[in-house]
Amino acid sequence: MSRTSGGRLVEEASIGREGFVGFPLIMGGKTAINNTVVQVSGYASWLAISDLDEAMGLYECIRKIMLSYAQSLIIQLMQSIACVSLHSAEQRISRLLLHAHDRVTGTQFHVTQETLADALGLRRATVSEICNELARRRIISYSRGSLTIVDRQGLELCACDCYRHIHAASFLARTDADNQF
C-alpha cells in the first residue's frame, strides 16, 4: 500500500500465495519501499533476506523463480496503471474480487468495503453501491465483510481485460516455477 500526503492508502500491488513481498530486496535494495497490509486472511511464511540470497546463489532454479515472479509483478503494476486510468469502478472492483478469489480456498472470504475502497482509491459509498448491484444480479453475496462469489463467470464478464492479462502473467510465472523442479 502507498500512503498519500493526505493520509489515504491505495494499493500498489496485490500479492497472494503465488508471490512474495520484499521484491526490491532481491534486486539489491537495502530497505522496503512500501507498506505491506494483509487484506484477506490466510497463511504466510517469513524468510530472512540473507537466507534467500544464499539460496538464490546456491540454486539457479530459485533465482529463476524469483525473476519469473518479478516479471509477473511488473506486468501487474503496468496493467494496474492502465486499469485505474481507463476502466470503471465496477470493472476494477470485479477485477480485485477475482484476484482475491484466485488466492483463497473456496468461494467465500472476508473483505470489507473499506478495504476494497482503500485498495482501489475509491469512495466507500461507491464500493457499497457496486457491491449491492453485484449482489442484486446474484454475482456475489455480501454481508458484513463476508463475501461469496456466487457466479464467477458473471464476475469475469463484469471485470475488464486487465484481470485476464494479470492472471495470465501470474499463471506463466507459476508454470515457470513448476518447470524448475
Side-chain angles (χ1 to χ4, degrees):
M1 302 291 281
S2 182
R3 186 175 301 277
T4 66
S5 59
R8 289 195 61 195
L9 289 174
V10 68
E11 182 178 276
E12 292 176 336
S14 177
I15 300 167
R17 60 184 170 202
E18 82 289 351
F20 64 95
V21 295
F23 172 69
L25 298 173
I26 69 161
M27 303 301 285
K30 299 298 178 202
T31 60
I33 59 172
N34 51 19
N35 295 315
T36 302
V37 178
V38 175
Q39 295 177 327
V40 177
S41 64
Y43 297 96
S45 299
W46 181 88
L47 178 67
I49 192 65
S50 59
D51 292 339
L52 181 59
D53 283 341
E54 180 181 346
M56 288 193 316
L58 291 172
Y59 304 102
E60 178 73 12
C61 59
I62 292 176
R63 187 181 70 77
K64 285 181 179 180
I65 290 167
M66 293 292 139
L67 292 175
S68 179
Y69 176 71
Q71 180 181 359
S72 73
L73 184 60
I74 289 167
I75 291 168
Q76 179 188 154
L77 294 170
M78 291 188 308
Q79 196 68 48
S80 293
I81 291 167
C83 189
V84 168
S85 301
L86 301 173
H87 298 128
S88 71
E90 180 180 287
Q91 290 173 310
R92 293 166 47 210
I93 290 169
S94 298
R95 175 181 62 88
L96 188 135
L97 293 177
L98 287 166
H99 287 306
H101 185 235
D102 289 344
R103 294 174 173 132
V104 298
T105 303
T107 59
Q108 185 177 22
F109 52 94
H110 185 82
V111 63
T112 66
Q113 291 180 357
E114 184 174 351
T115 297
L116 292 172
D118 285 347
L120 295 169
L122 297 170
R123 294 179 326 115
R124 189 181 175 284
T126 301
V127 172
S128 179
E129 181 181 314
I130 291 168
C131 285
N132 287 336
E133 177 59 21
L134 291 172
R136 187 192 67 71
R137 291 170 19 209
R138 292 187 173 91
I139 293 172
I140 66 169
S141 171
Y142 188 81
S143 178
R144 299 183 186 262
S146 180
L147 190 139
T148 303
I149 306 294
V150 177
D151 179 4
R152 173 144 180 135
Q153 188 175 24
L155 191 59
E156 287 180 11
L157 291 173
C158 293
C160 52
D161 285 342
C162 297
Y163 168 72
R164 285 172 281 292
H165 293 300
I166 293 169
H167 182 75
S170 178
F171 178 76
L172 288 175
R174 286 192 306 268
T175 302
D176 288 348
D178 291 344
N179 291 334
Q180 296 299 314
F181 292 102

